[in-house]
Amino acid sequence: DAKTTQPNSMESNEEEPVHLPCNHSTISGTDYIHWYRQLPSQGPEYVIHGLTSNVNNRMASLAIAEDRKSSTLILHRATLRDAAVYYCILIEGRQGAQKLVFGQGTRLTINP
Amino acid sequence: NAGVMQNPRHLVRRRGQEARLRCSPMKGHSHVYWYRQLPEEGLKFMVYLQKENIIDESGMPKERFSAEFPKEGPSILRIQQVVRGDSAAYFCASSPGPWDTQYFGPGTRLTVL
């Protein structure tokens, strides 16, 4: 079972920032927080990951709470192409068992 | 740099036939993962393979399903005697190492008539 909790859906407007929350209250010290997204009729796409510090890349930013029990994926200026299901995933911390456990994710709708 | 390739993209089989799904990982990647997405559901892990070895098959159904990743050639997910409940999108991902980011292919959409 996924160890993360996300809202089922969110809606935003084009060119506005979007903050996608994720709760992971049972996270262990060595678990990395990964975000993937799945556009309609496509395979999942890696977005970003982090351990303790906030992270930035060309796609998004990841803000991690100090106690690591929650995190927020930030899309700075949403476009229509960002409409997708966003998954927050903790990487299992056992050697040889690096499988992604997907929850239901957050379905993000972007209004033009 | 070609991404993960899967073929066929769409596959139609009648009940009782066999389905073979192929996955060519990204260049330099020796770790392959298979996931299944049933209609209107999330993705579920099936199996994790390295070259010539199955590392974790905890998500594979006990019967009719098998996977391999030979020394040469693509990884194959094989479903024998397909049933309607096998209709789903099957995604393959690859990574250079066990702790690296997984990159997904476009999927194979299997329809069982």
Side-chain angles (χ1 to χ4, degrees):
Chain A
D1 288 328
K3 295 184 288 186
T4 62
T5 304
Q6 300 176 252
N8 288 334
S9 62
M10 289 185 65
E11 199 169 326
S12 185
N13 297 318
E14 203 175 5
E15 299 191 3
E16 291 184 354
V18 180
H19 291 234
L20 296 161
C22 180
N23 288 319
H24 28 79
S25 57
T26 60
I27 191 170
S28 71
T30 55
D31 284 346
Y32 279 78
I33 303 157
H34 283 234
W35 284 80
Y36 281 78
R37 71 180 184 180
Q38 187 174 22
L39 279 66
S41 300
Q42 295 189 30
E45 174 185 32
Y46 166 78
V47 178
I48 200 167
H49 77 279
L51 183 63
T52 55
S53 304
N54 294 344
V55 184
N56 300 293
N57 66 20
R58 63 176 180 81
M59 289 182 70
S61 296
L62 177 60
I64 301 173
E66 200 168 328
D67 63 5
R68 302 213 321 129
K69 295 187 176 183
S70 65
S71 60
T72 302
L73 178 70
I74 302 165
L75 307 178
H76 295 285
R77 286 186 69 211
T79 69
L80 295 177
R81 196 194 171 277
D82 292 320
V85 179
Y86 286 77
Y87 297 98
C88 169
I89 299 169
L90 301 184
I91 295 296
E92 305 271 352
R94 289 175 294 166
Q95 180 69 29
Q98 204 257 34
K99 58 189 177 187
L100 299 178
V101 180
F102 289 85
Q104 291 303 111
T106 296
R107 184 174 298 276
L108 176 64
T109 301
I110 304 296
N111 299 315
Chain B
N1 232 353
V4 177
M5 298 175 68
Q6 291 187 249
N7 66 79
R9 295 290 307 275
H10 299 274
L11 182 62
V12 179
R13 286 287 179 265
R14 295 190 181 280
R15 281 179 296 170
Q17 291 184 320
E18 178 179 287
R20 281 187 181 238
L21 288 62
R22 296 175 189 77
C23 169
S24 296
M26 289 179 69
K27 188 175 181 181
H29 289 194
S30 58
H31 297 254
V32 165
Y33 314 79
W34 286 93
Y35 295 82
R36 176 167 69 172
Q37 187 168 34
L38 293 167
E40 304 304 320
E41 292 190 20
L43 291 105
K44 303 290 186 189
F45 167 81
M46 299 182 75
V47 63
Y48 163 33
L49 310 102
Q50 293 179 35
K51 284 284 188 181
E52 301 184 276
N53 289 305
I54 296 175
I55 305 302
D56 181 354
E57 55 181 346
S58 59
M60 286 279 270
K62 293 287 187 282
E63 297 176 350
R64 302 187 297 107
F65 285 72
S66 62
E68 63 177 9
F69 189 16
K71 188 175 179 182
E72 302 290 338
S75 175
I76 306 286
L77 179 67
R78 182 183 177 204
I79 311 171
Q80 295 178 290
Q81 298 178 318
V82 295
V83 300
R84 287 213 174 112
D86 296 332
S87 295
Y90 292 82
F91 293 98
C92 164
S94 74
S95 67
W99 303 107
D100 295 316
T101 299
Q102 294 181 26
Y103 294 89
F104 283 78
T108 293
R109 279 152 184 81
L110 172 66
T111 301
V112 180
L113 301 178

